[in-house]
Amino acid sequence: MSAKNAKITLRNRSFLVVLLVAVFVFSLTACKGEDVEVNNPTPTAEATDNGQASNDGNTDSGDPSTAVPNEETSPIPSNSGEDVKPAKKDIKVKALYLTGWTVGSDDRVQHYVDLAKNTEINAYVVDIKDDDGYVGYESNVPAVRELGAWMNKYNADKVLKAFHDNDIHVIGRLVCFKDPILSSKKPELAVKSVNGGSWRDNHNLTWLDPYNKDSWAYLIEIAKEAVEKGFDEIQFDYIRFPNDGSKKSMSFNTGGKEKYEAINEFLAYAREQMPGVVLSADVFGIILESPADTEDIGQYLETVVKDVDYISPMVYPSHYAVGQKVNGVQFMKPDLDPYGVVYQSLAKCKDRLAQVEGNKADVRAYIQDFTASWLGKGYYQSYGPKQVREQIQAVYDAGYEEWIFWDANNTYSEDAFLKE
């Protein structure tokens, strides 16, 4: 070996030693948990104006504002930028709403399993969290446990298994901003009164302020847990501002945003956090007729569809005002014309949504199977199989294929459903 080659070899060995030492130091530093600068690091997802919350991995605090899990612990990953499409099932939903108390009875669950086996019913909407603010089963979400915000209405695992074993689709209903538990125990999250303290509705209940994003993670954590348990979809209800009480006495820190923008941002946040989950939103039936957010509740038809897979307008005939015009047709006594009200509402809906570029949300109407005797003599009728079938036909005639019946007492006109 020449002297020149020996020098080159020695230089190479020295370089190798330096390289090995550098690798060792880098590894030691990383093991200690210290920050190591690399090229093009992924930025931390900090709070932004579009409704995305910080993702610091803190799931143990019980503070709703820090309830978003990190990617390693979350059973449902947050959106990493990939185009994750919701896993829609090939089903045309024909459903009934069931409370947590109803499915807490084994006999009632078996009854509804048999109903689905023998009729066209193929799905149920079951409460995850009702408007009492309580999750209806034992929840392991830290903030829910800290607040004592769950109640043993039913065993979710048992009920989901019973329905799924019989090929029944289960949609989880999650009431959002009407939450008297979280809003009373965390008053900083509640709608404020101009007179000081928390605003209260006509039933003396407090509500969450949709503008305050610190409550959003709490709601989504409950939804994520429900999906992990096996609910096939998440249906958000009360995704709106209060309308039952003095609106003039409400005080909001709007940040210059309209109410419907706050609601839309919440739904965008839900979609970002649950990109592979089928999401739906319950909306007032009247917004199908009213332009923009005329009702002043934060629901604007053309924009509320942006980040959900379905909307469920509550087109209950009993909930329309006397003399209400729908799609150019006036209904002096809406409850007496279930076909007309439902058909005209959904026909107007279809026409409006057809003008929304890129709209992918479908429509599953909530329709009425209860008697609205509070309307007074001459303004209501007893609802039974005839009125049920009229509304179903109205849904079909308006160009839609799916429907959900609502009765808070779960006493449905079962003879109305087609036998199979």
Side-chain angles (χ1 to χ4, degrees), residues 166-186:
N166 290 278
D167 298 320
I168 298 170
H169 193 72
V170 186
I171 302 167
R173 173 179 173 259
L174 199 161
V175 171
C176 293
F177 298 111
K178 186 178 182 181
D179 188 326
I181 301 299
L182 181 58
S183 60
S184 61
K185 294 191 175 184
K186 297 268 188 178

Side-chain angles (χ1 to χ4, degrees), residues 1 5-21:
M1 179 184 297
N5 288 339
K7 288 180 180 178
I8 293 173
T9 301
L10 181 59
R11 187 181 298 117
N12 289 344
R13 288 177 178 172
S14 299
F15 175 78
L16 181 60
V17 170
V18 172
L19 179 62
L20 290 174
V21 170

Side-chain angles (χ1 to χ4, degrees), residues 42-56:
T42 301
T44 302
E46 297 180 350
T48 65
D49 287 339
N50 65 4
Q52 297 178 358
S54 64
N55 186 10
D56 59 6

Side-chain angles (χ1 to χ4, degrees), residues 339 342-343 367 388-398 403:
Y339 175 89
V342 172
Y343 173 78
I367 44 184
V388 164
R389 289 313 309 180
E390 287 176 352
Q391 291 175 91
I392 291 174
Q393 191 60 50
V395 169
Y396 297 153
D397 289 350
W403 41 263

Side-chain angles (χ1 to χ4, degrees), residues 79-365:
N79 195 342
S80 61
E82 298 177 0
D83 185 16
V84 182
K85 294 184 178 180
K88 281 189 177 182
K89 291 190 176 181
D90 185 18
I91 181 173
K92 299 300 181 185
V93 162
K94 300 175 181 180
L96 306 179
Y97 159 71
L98 302 177
T99 70
W101 296 116
T102 292
V103 296
S105 162
D106 290 345
D107 289 344
R108 297 305 290 162
V109 169
Q110 186 58 52
H111 171 81
Y112 286 110
V113 166
D114 293 340
L115 183 68
K117 282 183 177 180
N118 297 316
T119 71
E120 62 188 318
I121 297 298
N122 60 14
Y124 294 110
V125 176
V126 177
D127 282 334
I128 296 169
K129 181 169 78 72
D130 199 359
D131 62 0
D132 57 5
Y134 288 103
V135 175
Y137 47 80
E138 183 171 3
S139 171
N140 287 314
V141 173
V144 172
R145 298 189 73 84
E146 179 184 312
L147 294 169
W150 68 272
M151 187 181 292
N152 192 23
K153 298 179 182 179
Y154 69 103
N155 183 321
D157 299 326
K158 183 178 179 181
V159 169
L160 287 164
K161 184 177 188 304
F163 284 150
H164 286 156
D165 283 351
N166 290 278
D167 298 320
I168 298 170
H169 193 72
V170 186
I171 302 167
R173 173 179 173 259
L174 199 161
V175 171
C176 293
F177 298 111
K178 186 178 182 181
D179 188 326
I181 301 299
L182 181 58
S183 60
S184 61
K185 294 191 175 184
K186 297 268 188 178
E188 66 273 18
L189 303 176
V191 175
K192 302 298 187 296
S193 170
V194 295
N195 300 316
S198 297
W199 176 89
R200 292 179 179 274
D201 66 16
N202 288 339
H203 300 281
N204 202 35
L205 298 176
T206 54
W207 283 58
L208 293 173
D209 179 356
Y211 280 114
N212 190 334
K213 297 176 183 179
D214 288 344
S215 69
W216 294 5
Y218 174 84
L219 300 172
I220 299 307
E221 276 297 278
I222 294 171
K224 287 182 176 182
E225 181 185 52
V227 173
E228 184 181 15
K229 282 184 172 295
F231 282 91
D232 298 302
E233 303 180 22
I234 298 296
Q235 180 184 96
F236 295 117
D237 200 0
Y238 286 87
I239 46 154
R240 62 176 177 83
F241 286 75
N243 75 325
D244 177 20
S246 172
K247 288 189 175 183
K248 291 182 179 179
S249 63
M250 296 180 195
S251 176
F252 299 106
N253 181 10
T254 68
K257 294 179 180 176
E258 300 291 341
K259 287 181 178 178
Y260 73 86
E261 291 178 303
I263 296 300
N264 293 347
E265 286 187 2
F266 169 74
L267 293 174
Y269 171 71
R271 169 57 68 217
E272 187 272 337
Q273 288 294 313
M274 298 187 290
V277 178
V278 177
L279 303 178
S280 62
D282 297 342
V283 297
F284 274 12
I286 193 62
I287 78 162
L288 309 183
E289 175 66 24
S290 301
D293 182 23
T294 306
E295 311 308 315
D296 193 33
I297 56 171
Q299 294 180 350
Y300 183 162
L301 178 62
E302 280 80 0
T303 64
V304 77
V305 295
K306 181 177 179 293
D307 289 294
V308 294
D309 303 290
Y310 298 92
I311 60 167
S312 288
M314 298 172 281
V315 289
Y316 313 133
S318 62
H319 282 38
Y320 286 74
V322 171
Q324 176 68 51
K325 281 190 175 182
V326 182
N327 204 23
V329 178
Q330 188 170 33
F331 295 93
M332 296 310 300
K333 298 180 179 180
D335 195 61
L336 304 187
D337 190 354
Y339 175 89
V341 171
V342 172
Y343 173 78
Q344 295 297 347
S345 295
L346 295 179
K348 182 72 172 282
C349 176
K350 198 169 188 69
D351 288 344
R352 287 178 64 177
L353 291 183
Q355 308 302 315
V356 179
E357 185 175 354
N359 172 50
K360 296 180 181 178
D362 208 341
V363 175
R364 286 181 184 145

